[in-house]
Amino acid sequence: MFYGVDYYPEHWSEERWEIDAKLMREANMNIVRLAEFAWAKIEPEEGKFDFSWLDKVVEILEKNGIKVILGTPTAAPPKWLMDKCPDIYPVDYMGHTYGFGLRKHTCYNSENLYRYTEIIVSKMAEHYKDCSAVFGWQIDNEFGGRCYCDKCQKAFRKWLKKKYITIDQLNKEWGTIFWSQVYRNWDEIISPRYSMSADITTHNPGLVLDYYRFYSDTIVAFQKFQIDILRKIVPHHVITHNFMKLYNGLNYFDLAKDLDFVSWDNYPGTSDNIIEPALAHDVARGLKNTTFWVMEQQSGPRGWQIISENPEPGQMRLFAYQSIAHGADAIIYFRWRTCPFGTEQYWHGILGHDGVPRRRYFEAKQMGEELKRISSMFEKGNIPAQVAIIRCYDNEWVFEIQPHVKKFRYIDHIRRYYEALFRNNIQVDVVSPVADLGKYKLAIAPQLTLTNEKIIENLYKYVKNGGILISGFRTGARDWNNRIIMDVLPGELRELFGIEIEEYGIIPENKFNLLKFEKENMIINCDTWYEILSPITAQVIARFGDNFFEGSPALTMNNYGNGRAYYIGSVPSEKDIDKFVYWLVKESEIHPLYDKPIPGVEFSCRVKDGKEVLFILNHNSKEVNIELIGSYVDIIKSKKWENHIEIPSKDLVILQKI
Ligand code: GAL
């Protein structure tokens, strides 16, 4: 598999390049990413291109058996370009224009950005099209952000016209009669900029949601523009982009569509944070429903102004193996060597400022040697998840615009379920609401308040064919344009869940209600929201235990087709979510990878050519001794284990059954 680093040769003198490449080779590295911020060095003046330095680097790397991913450098347009075309600078919602001094100072609706992007990307592609060292391309760097300039407003109007066709339709869908906001023609339409409130989410909910969608489409189109150039000139190269963890500024399913595979940038930080990177890996895998790359894997303390904790011995390797355990097919560390200048002086790499190989280098080298021996046993192997969590960006935006309850975040609700599944040793795919759910025993769709025909059809089909679905509060309450429906809730999903919603309300911060189960002797705290359910064909599983609605149905189950649809009118609290998920998992007959939770120990399985490998990672600062049934071999150390296994602190085993 590919294993390497993000390398910035432009930060070092030429004499160092041979030494770096030799050290990389000795660490069993076979790929580097280059040049994603090197526009000013490749085109120091308009129309004057200098590839000589990059050619030299690529040649040295190739001589050492190292392939290259080239970044298109559009995340850092140089000063000469910004001075010549200041319209490339984005404008924030308060009307302030960005200045020079950082990066990503780009409005994606600037024709000038497009024009100069076309030139630099074509030049690079032409120059490297026959270069055998180049394996592929990363487009730009960590796309994101929204601009509110006049060019974007114009493009927004065009986007809306395509969507709504007539201005009357737009007025109807947004409900602009409210507060006399009726638009008479497309040119009158605004973008959600500063108005009376500094919070743009107080604008019309239909308008804000459409702006989020429009901006997501804008960035996807800018990426596609670059992809089209590359596909024409270098059809034999792969193309990817480096996504950001749980970022929700754009629809990642759309961004992933045109790429060969997804990559993402993983900076887990400390051992207190083992579940979040796991979730982010599963999000990345779900975007194209396949394995992915980590384009930036943490290799040292992070920091711009403030420095994060230093990864302990073994931890860098452990987090890199966690990526692999969740489906990464390439590990590329950020960065090779810590930079002595610039904003990221303290964002540490494999080597420190002095460039001397030390602990982190030797740890990376050890892993490189291991991967060389064993990676063929799991590379491209899939994750046999039985549970899907549905993440829908449009719905995430609805709850960002109107959280409903103070501090409620859609992603935190997903996270709550995910963490409990993680602790119960259950693998999860995070998928889109229109993904094929057929292979999952259980699908969790916590917050599909916005629905459309496709989503509704998908949920009915899944349950009808035997799937088990659980959905939560406000499901089906809005149409796709963010208007609340006037039907009895949960609207078109009534038949599926076999209930009607009688009444709803919030559970204020730090207050709880109770879910009292009818059959099981179980009581669970719940928070955030309550919905009083009125069963039509559904059975009551649990009732609220407090407040004026004490005794009202809170959790129901409806038999539909060959499957079952559960509706929960509240949110199991942080404290009790494990209990609830354990119950749900039993109901769905899901088999965990290990039958009891072990704090700080992570289980993950990949299947390659029908053969399973089981990763067990010990994130704790103490050794663990785990009982196992049967005999296994740890493929890293070629060591046999029977009935139990010992894993040192910050270490792992990869087991095959024998
Ligand atoms: C990433 C980014 C890198 C580098 C790193 C450390 O998000 O892609 O270019 O900036 O963070 O700050």
Side-chain angles (χ1 to χ4, degrees):
M1 66 181 265
F2 280 124
Y3 184 66
V5 286
D6 300 306
Y7 185 38
Y8 300 91
E10 67 273 28
H11 296 174
W12 318 103
S13 63
E14 218 178 300
E15 301 84 70
R16 178 71 198 193
W17 298 345
E18 291 274 5
I19 302 170
D20 285 336
K22 180 171 169 282
L23 284 171
M24 289 175 199
R25 172 170 47 80
E26 286 170 359
N28 298 291
M29 292 179 175
N30 54 11
I31 195 143
V32 302
R33 182 193 62 184
L34 292 174
E36 83 279 10
F37 295 116
W39 195 335
K41 184 129 175 114
I42 295 170
E43 192 183 5
E45 275 178 59
E46 182 173 359
K48 289 204 175 129
F49 293 90
D50 178 11
F51 288 107
S52 60
W53 66 278
L54 196 52
D55 290 348
K56 249 182 238 163
V57 178
V58 172
E59 196 190 312
I60 292 171
L61 291 168
E62 188 168 31
K63 226 173 49 195
N64 284 277
I66 298 170
K67 293 268 182 215
V68 165
I69 293 286
L70 289 171
T72 68
T74 47
K79 188 70 168 43
W80 62 258
L81 175 55
M82 299 312 291
D83 286 351
K84 183 169 181 195
C85 308
D87 69 287
I88 295 177
Y89 284 116
V91 173
D92 72 9
Y93 70 98
M94 298 287 282
H96 301 139
T97 305
Y98 286 37
F100 197 79
L102 288 171
R103 57 179 168 180
K104 292 171 86 159
H105 36 258
T106 41
C107 159
Y108 299 106
N109 279 305
S110 156
E111 281 177 21
N112 281 320
L113 177 67
Y114 267 77
R115 179 167 327 129
Y116 286 94
T117 292
E118 181 169 5
I119 297 169
I120 186 85
V121 174
S122 318
K123 280 275 178 200
M124 282 181 82
E126 287 291 352
H127 190 86
Y128 288 106
K129 70 174 182 228
D130 299 321
C131 175
S132 49
V134 177
F135 182 72
W137 298 78
Q138 171 189 298
I139 308 281
D140 204 282
N141 192 78
E142 294 188 340
F143 275 126
R146 290 184 191 109
C147 170
Y148 295 83
C149 74
D150 289 346
K151 298 183 295 298
C152 287
Q153 189 172 68
K154 211 166 142 198
F156 181 44
R157 290 168 179 164
K158 210 164 139 196
W159 184 93
L160 291 169
K161 196 168 171 187
K162 197 163 161 217
K163 177 173 176 186
Y164 293 107
I165 317 288
T166 68
I167 197 77
D168 289 348
Q169 190 62 22
L170 175 140
N171 281 312
K172 189 171 148 238
E173 294 295 335
W174 286 2
T176 53
I177 190 65
F178 186 78
W179 286 348
S180 267
Q181 291 169 350
V182 180
Y183 298 103
R184 291 166 307 159
N185 58 59
W186 302 103
D187 292 339
E188 283 185 349
I189 293 173
I190 59 158
S191 12
R193 292 170 175 164
Y194 177 69
S195 180
M196 186 186 95
S197 155
D199 183 355
I200 67 157
T201 61
T202 50
H203 273 283
N204 180 302
L207 170 128
V208 185
L209 179 61
D210 272 342
Y211 202 77
Y212 284 14
R213 286 169 167 160
F214 152 73
Y215 219 79
S216 179
D217 286 359
T218 297
I219 293 179
V220 171
F222 180 65
Q223 178 181 262
K224 179 77 169 34
F225 178 71
Q226 298 201 29
I227 292 176
D228 288 347
I229 299 170
L230 293 176
R231 295 259 187 246
K232 219 186 276 160
I233 306 172
V234 284
H236 50 299
H237 290 168
V238 297
I239 303 176
T240 187
H241 171 71
N242 54 337
F243 291 60
M244 291 180 277
K245 207 161 70 174
L246 303 175
Y247 183 71
N248 72 356
L250 61 154
N251 186 327
Y252 268 0
F253 291 109
D254 292 346
L255 194 69
K257 221 172 270 165
D258 301 316
L259 299 168
D260 291 312
F261 56 86
V262 164
S263 304
W264 83 278
D265 298 343
N266 182 17
Y267 295 99
T270 69
S271 8
D272 303 336
N273 183 28
I274 58 173
I275 308 188
E276 194 178 53
L279 168 58
H281 287 307
D282 295 350
V283 165
R285 205 178 59 247
L287 296 175
K288 284 183 93 68
N289 197 13
T290 185
T291 56
F292 57 91
W293 285 25
V294 175
M295 195 56 94
E296 298 180 13
Q297 173 81 37
Q298 184 175 347
S299 66
R302 302 159 302 162
W304 283 16
Q305 291 87 344
I306 304 289
I307 307 172
S308 78
E309 282 173 48
N310 192 5
E312 292 171 30
Q315 210 172 14
M316 177 181 99
R317 168 177 169 269
L318 187 61
F319 274 125
Y321 268 116
Q322 182 191 39
S323 304
I324 294 173
H326 284 262
D329 273 340
I331 298 290
I332 301 178
Y333 291 106
F334 186 91
R335 45 185 285 159
W336 172 242
R337 181 172 170 185
T338 319
C339 195
F341 43 73
T343 304
E344 294 183 355
Q345 277 174 319
Y346 281 126
W347 204 286
H348 292 78
I350 299 269
L351 303 182
H353 295 108
D354 63 7
V356 177
R358 301 180 196 278
R359 169 167 79 81
R360 294 196 294 270
Y361 174 79
F362 294 110
E363 203 171 305
K365 185 174 174 180
Q366 177 197 338
M367 185 163 171
E369 181 278 319
E370 290 163 358
L371 290 178
K372 210 165 156 186
R373 277 190 290 114
I374 63 172
S375 61
S376 62
M377 289 156 109
F378 45 74
E379 190 183 355
K380 302 225 159 65
N382 70 328
I383 306 283
Q386 302 167 67
V387 180
I389 294 184
I390 293 173
R391 182 187 188 193
C392 170
Y393 289 90
D394 298 84
N395 274 291
E396 194 159 343
W397 292 332
V398 167
F399 284 97
E400 193 176 297
I401 297 165
Q402 292 169 285
H404 289 60
V405 183
K406 214 167 158 187
K407 297 199 182 145
F408 177 77
R409 285 178 69 219
Y410 173 96
I411 196 68
D412 289 342
H413 194 178
I414 285 187
R415 198 197 304 264
R416 203 179 271 191
Y417 275 102
Y418 182 88
E419 287 179 351
L421 288 159
F422 180 99
R423 289 188 288 260
N424 278 291
N425 306 319
I426 290 159
Q427 289 181 294
V428 176
D429 282 349
V430 181
V431 301
S432 106
V434 291
D436 181 1
L437 300 172
K439 66 175 174 191
Y440 303 108
K441 283 191 173 166
L442 172 67
I444 303 175
Q447 226 73 55
L448 290 177
T449 193
L450 211 64
T451 54
N452 59 24
E453 250 173 64
K454 270 198 190 155
I455 295 176
I456 290 170
E457 205 185 295
N458 202 32
L459 298 181
Y460 271 100
K461 185 172 133 202
Y462 167 64
V463 179
K464 194 170 165 203
N465 292 337
I468 297 173
L469 172 71
I470 181 159
S471 293
F473 72 87
R474 296 310 278 159
T475 295
R478 286 164 187 258
D479 69 19
W480 201 241
N481 290 324
N482 212 5
R483 283 166 55 124
I484 297 179
I485 63 167
M486 288 184 278
D487 201 358
V488 174
L489 295 182
E492 291 188 54
L493 292 165
R494 275 205 309 258
E495 194 190 333
L496 182 62
F497 293 108
I499 52 159
E500 290 182 355
I501 309 295
E502 210 42 55
E503 196 172 328
Y504 62 77
I506 66 154
I507 301 177
E509 223 185 323
N510 303 324
K511 294 241 160 68
F512 299 93
N513 205 304
L514 299 169
L515 297 175
K516 288 187 159 169
F517 281 67
E518 296 272 274
K519 279 201 209 121
E520 297 81 358
N521 184 18
M522 183 159 76
I523 299 178
I524 278 176
N525 273 280
C526 58
D527 54 42
T528 311
W529 190 266
Y530 67 85
E531 265 169 25
I532 302 173
L533 315 180
S534 176
I536 306 297
T537 54
Q539 298 167 32
V540 178
I541 303 289
R543 294 177 188 272
F544 285 111
D546 199 4
N547 216 317
F548 72 88
F549 46 94
E550 179 182 345
S552 311
L555 170 65
T556 55
M557 186 277 287
N558 194 38
N559 288 309
Y560 183 84
N562 295 321
R564 303 200 297 272
Y566 291 82
Y567 192 100
I568 178 162
S570 191
V571 183
S573 69
E574 197 83 57
K575 174 169 145 289
D576 285 342
I577 186 77
D578 285 40
K579 242 202 272 177
F580 180 72
V581 162
Y582 186 69
W583 169 83
L584 190 60
V585 157
K586 277 214 321 229
E587 285 280 291
S588 320
E589 294 176 7
I590 285 163
H591 308 292
L593 290 171
Y594 193 73
D595 62 5
K596 56 176 186 286
I598 309 176
V601 175
E602 179 176 1
F603 292 81
S604 190
C605 175
R606 285 184 78 165
V607 183
K608 168 101 183 262
D609 302 329
K611 280 200 196 129
E612 284 184 3
V613 290
L614 179 66
F615 294 74
I616 312 180
L617 298 93
N618 179 14
H619 295 277
N620 294 298
S621 39
K622 277 205 283 241
E623 178 180 290
V624 286
N625 194 324
I626 300 170
E627 275 176 48
L628 289 175
I629 300 169
S631 307
Y632 292 84
V633 62
D634 170 15
I635 63 173
I636 303 181
K637 296 202 175 97
S638 304
K639 186 170 167 135
K640 218 175 130 185
W641 290 97
E642 246 169 39
N643 301 326
H644 88 290
I645 186 151
E646 284 151 22
I647 313 176
S649 155
K650 312 280 179 236
D651 203 350
L652 80 153
V653 290
I654 307 179
L655 300 181
Q656 254 185 352
K657 196 141 197 180
I658 43 176

